[in-house]
Amino acid sequence: MNTLEALTTRRSCRNFKPDPVPPELIDQVLEAGTFAPTGMGRQSPIIVAITNKEVRDQLSALNARIMESDGDPFYGAPVVLVVLARKDVPTHVYDGSLVMGNMLNAAHDLGLASCWIHRAKEEFESPEGHEILARLGLDASEYEGIGNCILGYAAEPAPAPAPRKADYIYRIV
């Protein structure tokens, strides 16, 4: 699939099979994230790859509590790639967002389903989020959660794309 095809055919998935994702595919998605553009090349983001079911479920429960729900906000996806970025870099939110976009598009190209799940900021401002980062030797006060990229195999076909709005593009010629 070429780049434009990947960009126009990718859809967010909200129903995943429990099947594990091969590590080599996860590694390719992660690598794509590391090649996202960043402000002044500072590479402010980091990615925490979670395939451990216990930690995945802990993060899912935390995310659900933040949005005052008791469901699984990760929709059964077996992999969560959390993007955080250094707060002291002025472009950190943009940098992390580009990492998320690269990973979402790479996943699609590799035949994986994905979705951006919000509330990573709140997750990693919590004591539970601090503890997850501390296990990795990271100081949570230095990072802001940008997003959770959930990965897996879709349990059903992707929906057709929604029509693009009429006033999406304005031109100055």
Side-chain angles (χ1 to χ4, degrees), residues 51-135:
T51 55
N52 176 290
K53 182 165 175 29
E54 181 181 315
V55 176
R56 178 254 183 246
D57 290 349
Q58 174 191 7
L59 192 61
S60 173
L62 176 57
N63 191 296
R65 279 196 312 274
I66 292 164
M67 65 183 221
E68 299 179 359
S69 169
D70 58 2
D72 175 12
F74 297 155
Y75 303 106
V79 179
V80 181
L81 307 178
V82 184
V83 175
L84 302 104
R86 290 191 58 86
K87 292 178 186 177
D88 63 343
V89 176
T91 57
H92 73 278
V93 173
Y94 312 111
D95 297 345
S97 296
L98 287 166
V99 169
M100 287 288 294
N102 268 25
M103 293 192 309
L104 294 164
N105 288 313
H108 177 58
D109 184 57
L110 294 168
L112 297 171
S114 65
C115 190
W116 180 324
I117 305 298
H118 288 290
R119 294 168 297 282
K121 180 179 189 304
E122 296 85 350
E123 288 167 2
F124 289 91
E125 288 174 343
S126 74
E128 296 98 325
H130 283 208
E131 193 261 314
I132 290 169
L133 294 182
R135 286 188 232 165

Side-chain angles (χ1 to χ4, degrees), residues 6-20:
L7 294 172
T8 58
T9 61
R10 193 205 76 75
R11 301 285 169 271
S12 292
C13 178
R14 291 178 182 84
N15 188 5
F16 289 83
K17 295 178 182 177
D19 305 358

